Amino acid sequence: MTTQTNNSQSTTGTTAGTGTTTVLVTSATGKTGRRVAERLAARGATVRAGSRTGATAFDWESPETWGPALRGADAAYVAYYPDLAAPGAAEAMEVFGRLAAEHGVRRLTLLSGRGEPEAVVAEEALRTAAVGVELTVVRAAFFAQNFSEGLLAEGVAEGVVVFPAGDTAEPFVDVDDLADVVVETLTGDGHTGRVHELTGPRPIGFAEVAAEIARASGRPVAYEAVSGADYAKLLTGFGLPAPEAAWLAALFATLLDGHNASVTDGVRRVLGREPRSFRAFAEATWAGAEADV
């Protein structure tokens, strides 16, 4: 993999720089963007929370919003929607990277997916286009928060998690850990050209996930494994267009074939502490939930 040269004289970041750093956070209302924006603001950065309806207009489907949002920014957190492995992502990264370089952005941190070959193509497109810009890539495992505020939250609430994961284990990463890592790469030094792979402390299967949520919440939660084709049909039944449903099912089949079951030390290397376990996440999220019934 081609990496950029680390610039030890970087002026981006609250520790190395002078004055206030201005950071564009794309997808700032999403699971990761919201947390990254909050943490950056707590560190004293000027945050541009980019979203379709916010004060800083930013929409991945409207490239005309990208340049104005980048103008005057020192750094940016790049969280592409719907996923860096999606069709068109590489082309979007090429345009975004060129605009970032043209507008004098000095540092980018890109959220990517662990074990996604198409995402690597998009990573390289950004790296090639963002000439002279310091780039860090954060490749994340499946989010623990997908069960509490993402695509699986409704199933959890109804007591059954339906997903095409079979008995594959996944080292779920807590998004709070991910956000801490992202902020460190945006405000600290020594991450330029690096790829940080983030996971939780151990892989667990979806059946164990359901059991942990049930234990923490005091409510029954079960896991129902389905095929990719059946999952795509389920998504279309909820109103998702058939091509998008088929793409999502295929993506999950790729991610959950067992090749991502190993753990990494990415969180510990960047933050100097261990990542939060799924059990700890479940306890913090659902403890006492039965009292709310």
Side-chain angles (χ1 to χ4, degrees):
M1 175 181 294
T2 302
T3 58
Q4 300 182 48
T5 303
N6 191 2
N7 179 1
S8 61
Q9 302 301 314
S10 168
T11 59
T12 302
T14 56
T15 55
T18 58
T20 301
T21 299
T22 299
V23 185
L24 169 66
V25 177
T26 68
S27 303
T29 59
K31 283 190 290 295
T32 68
R34 172 169 52 84
R35 290 170 167 85
V36 168
E38 290 170 352
R39 286 160 169 76
L40 285 169
R43 290 201 181 192
T46 297
V47 178
R48 292 183 183 170
S51 68
R52 293 175 180 176
T53 59
T56 299
F58 189 95
D59 186 348
W60 282 116
E61 295 181 353
S62 301
E64 65 273 12
T65 65
W66 305 352
L70 285 164
R71 188 173 297 119
D74 301 298
Y77 171 52
V78 187
Y80 182 75
Y81 179 85
D83 189 274
L84 207 61
E91 293 78 6
M93 289 301 98
E94 182 178 359
V95 174
F96 185 89
R98 176 174 52 79
L99 287 171
E102 289 176 356
H103 285 288
V105 176
R106 296 194 297 269
R107 180 173 293 183
L108 298 173
T109 293
L110 173 66
L111 175 63
S112 186
R114 186 174 183 240
E116 298 182 29
E118 295 85 356
V120 176
V121 175
E123 292 172 14
E124 189 60 31
L126 180 62
R127 180 177 292 110
T128 301
V131 178
V133 183
E134 301 174 1
L135 175 65
T136 305
V137 176
V138 175
R139 294 179 184 159
F142 204 93
F143 296 163
Q145 277 79 359
N146 283 335
F147 295 94
S148 61
E149 54 188 88
L151 76 164
L152 299 174
E154 183 175 345
V156 169
E158 295 177 350
V160 59
V161 175
V162 180
F163 209 66
D167 59 359
T168 300
E170 170 74 11
F172 299 92
V173 66
D174 191 297
V175 174
D176 286 320
D177 286 340
L178 186 153
D180 287 341
V181 169
V182 168
V183 170
E184 184 60 33
T185 65
L186 287 168
T187 61
D189 291 323
H191 303 283
T192 302
R194 302 287 300 275
V195 175
H196 296 302
E197 287 203 5
L198 308 185
T199 71
R202 72 178 184 91
I204 64 174
F206 276 66
E208 185 177 352
V209 163
E212 289 288 2
I213 296 172
R215 185 186 65 82
S217 66
R219 301 173 181 173
V221 180
Y223 165 57
E224 180 182 336
V226 295
S227 68
D230 286 342
Y231 188 69
K233 291 179 182 177
L234 180 68
L235 293 177
T236 57
F238 285 118
L240 200 66
E244 188 174 346
W247 174 78
L248 273 176
L251 175 64
F252 293 142
T254 299
L255 294 178
L256 297 166
D257 64 0
H259 76 280
N260 278 340
S262 60
V263 301
T264 70
D265 64 350
V267 172
R268 183 173 67 251
R269 281 191 294 106
V270 177
L271 302 178
R273 61 170 174 79
E274 295 300 319
R276 186 158 71 156
S277 68
F278 192 91
R279 170 169 287 192
F281 158 74
E283 290 175 345
T285 303
W286 286 286
E290 70 277 9
D292 299 329
V293 177

